[in-house]
Amino acid sequence: MKAAQINDYGDPSVIQVVDTDTPQAQAGQVLVEVHATSLNPFDTTIRTGAMKDAIPLQFPVTLGGDIAGTIVELGEGVEGFSIGDKVYGQANVVAGNSGAFAECAATAVGQIARAPENLDMSQTASLPLVGVSALQALTEHINLQTGQKILIHGGAGGIGSIAIQIAKHMGAYVATTATGQGIEIVKGLGADEVIDFKSQDFADELSGFDAVFDTVGRDDFTKALKVLNRGGVAVSMIAQADEKAAEELGVNAFTQQTRATTERLNELCALVETGVVVPQVGKVFSLDQIQEAFTARESGSVQGKVVIQIKPQ
């Protein structure tokens, strides 16, 4: 089978599409024929070696996490799924799987779920990490309630765009940061208030919020704590929480580690099938264009998720 692998850390040029052996489904795993996958910032983090001390890799490594496809093999002990089922979820190497950027991926059965019936595979592949990240933060860490006010920092990004939709469905007032074309995108998703981060400082514009969901990181997460009421909750996908600053302000701050589980993916699927969540696909590439896909995503030239179509629709 074909797979996009790296033998060293570096820029997109280190990724090579090679012929390699098809993985087998081990106990507790399924083998998925991957129809489509998508790029996430974590894929760049792994490829560049930014986490090589914390997550050492044994090369060659097949990159990628998000998958959408069809089960073609069941490992020992797998229940609840059958060959031929259309599924979506995660297949990241760092979670003990075989990697998503390939024609087939072996992954733990607890990291997949039935795919939404109202989407094509490219749309479905754009959702697992960003959708579960938004859902986990809003429902589990923040426990967002109707009528509360939340700042979603980075609303036009992959996670932020899904978070806006879910937060509005939960009855919250949503402020978000964006710029350029992203401003119209987040307005279209239902944001109540938009801060253009190139000309405005959200910390000066906003106050009295119950929650912050940060998808940008840097020093903005600590600054975002200041928009919260005492007792408010802030969750970041990237930045490490400044516990001292949070304590001084009387707020709670967390750094989230997303876990794509069958239960969360099922909950996301229900939101998709009822029209609450609509995928935001920006551009579709082929597997042979994997270097170009990474370059496009990392340049910021694509609004929405970058998808890799592996099997024709």
Side-chain angles (χ1 to χ4, degrees):
M1 70 167 190
K2 286 187 174 182
Q5 297 185 336
I6 59 171
N7 277 286
D8 197 1
Y9 301 111
D11 64 23
S13 67
V14 302
I15 310 170
Q16 300 297 319
V17 177
V18 300
D19 289 314
T20 187
D21 293 337
T22 300
Q24 292 184 327
Q26 303 300 314
Q29 290 187 328
V30 297
L31 183 66
V32 177
E33 180 184 56
V34 182
H35 294 211
T37 179
S38 69
L39 272 58
N40 292 296
F42 185 70
D43 301 320
T44 296
T45 299
I46 293 297
R47 190 204 71 224
T48 59
M51 296 187 69
K52 63 183 179 181
D53 292 334
I55 308 176
L57 301 178
Q58 185 174 350
F59 298 117
V61 166
T62 299
L63 295 173
D66 289 339
I67 57 169
T70 304
I71 293 178
V72 293
E73 182 184 329
L74 302 175
E76 181 182 351
V78 170
E79 297 179 352
F81 292 96
S82 302
I83 291 174
D85 285 351
K86 293 182 178 179
V87 296
Y88 79 135
Q90 282 282 303
N92 215 303
V93 166
V94 301
N97 308 310
S98 69
F101 298 164
E103 292 178 322
C104 288
T107 189
V109 69
Q111 296 179 38
I112 61 164
R114 178 181 61 84
E117 294 183 356
N118 59 328
L119 301 182
D120 63 31
M121 285 296 186
S122 290
Q123 294 170 314
T124 301
S126 74
L127 284 172
L129 182 62
V130 296
V132 170
S133 294
L135 194 61
Q136 183 177 332
L138 296 177
T139 63
E140 298 176 33
H141 288 137
I142 293 173
N143 190 26
L144 191 65
Q145 302 295 310
T146 299
Q148 288 188 323
K149 297 172 67 176
I150 183 171
L151 165 63
I152 297 173
H153 192 26
I159 298 173
S161 62
I162 304 299
I164 290 173
Q165 297 176 71
I166 296 175
K168 290 303 301 177
H169 173 67
M170 296 172 74
Y173 177 94
V174 176
T176 191
T177 57
T179 197
Q181 294 178 341
I183 292 175
E184 293 307 312
I185 290 173
V186 298
K187 287 181 178 178
L189 294 173
D192 298 286
E193 186 173 358
V194 183
I195 305 298
D196 186 340
F197 64 78
K198 285 194 173 179
S199 60
Q200 298 172 283
D201 187 332
F202 70 84
D204 293 335
E205 303 286 340
L206 304 176
S207 63
F209 276 66
D210 302 289
V212 168
F213 183 33
D214 166 50
T215 69
V216 176
R218 301 187 295 270
D219 294 334
D220 285 349
F221 185 44
T222 299
K223 185 166 67 173
L225 301 180
K226 298 176 182 178
V227 312
L228 290 170
N229 292 322
R230 293 189 69 83
V233 181
V235 174
S236 179
M237 289 301 306
I238 303 171
Q240 290 299 310
D242 186 334
E243 296 180 2
K244 182 179 179 181
E247 184 177 356
E248 290 175 352
L249 293 167
V251 301
N252 301 295
F254 306 95
T255 303
Q256 175 170 296
Q257 291 186 339
T258 299
R259 291 185 62 247
T261 65
T262 300
E263 292 74 21
R264 289 171 180 152
L265 289 163
N266 281 335
E267 189 174 353
L268 177 62
C269 180
L271 292 173
V272 171
E273 291 184 336
T274 55
V276 172
V277 170
V278 177
Q280 304 297 303
V281 176
K283 193 169 183 179
V284 179
F285 293 83
S286 69
L287 185 60
D288 289 334
Q289 296 172 310
I290 188 76
Q291 292 185 8
E292 294 93 327
F294 267 93
T295 299
R297 197 205 68 77
E298 290 165 16
S299 70
S301 63
V302 178
Q303 294 285 346
K305 286 299 295 290
V306 171
V307 169
I308 305 297
Q309 188 71 44
I310 296 178
K311 183 179 174 65
Q313 298 275 23

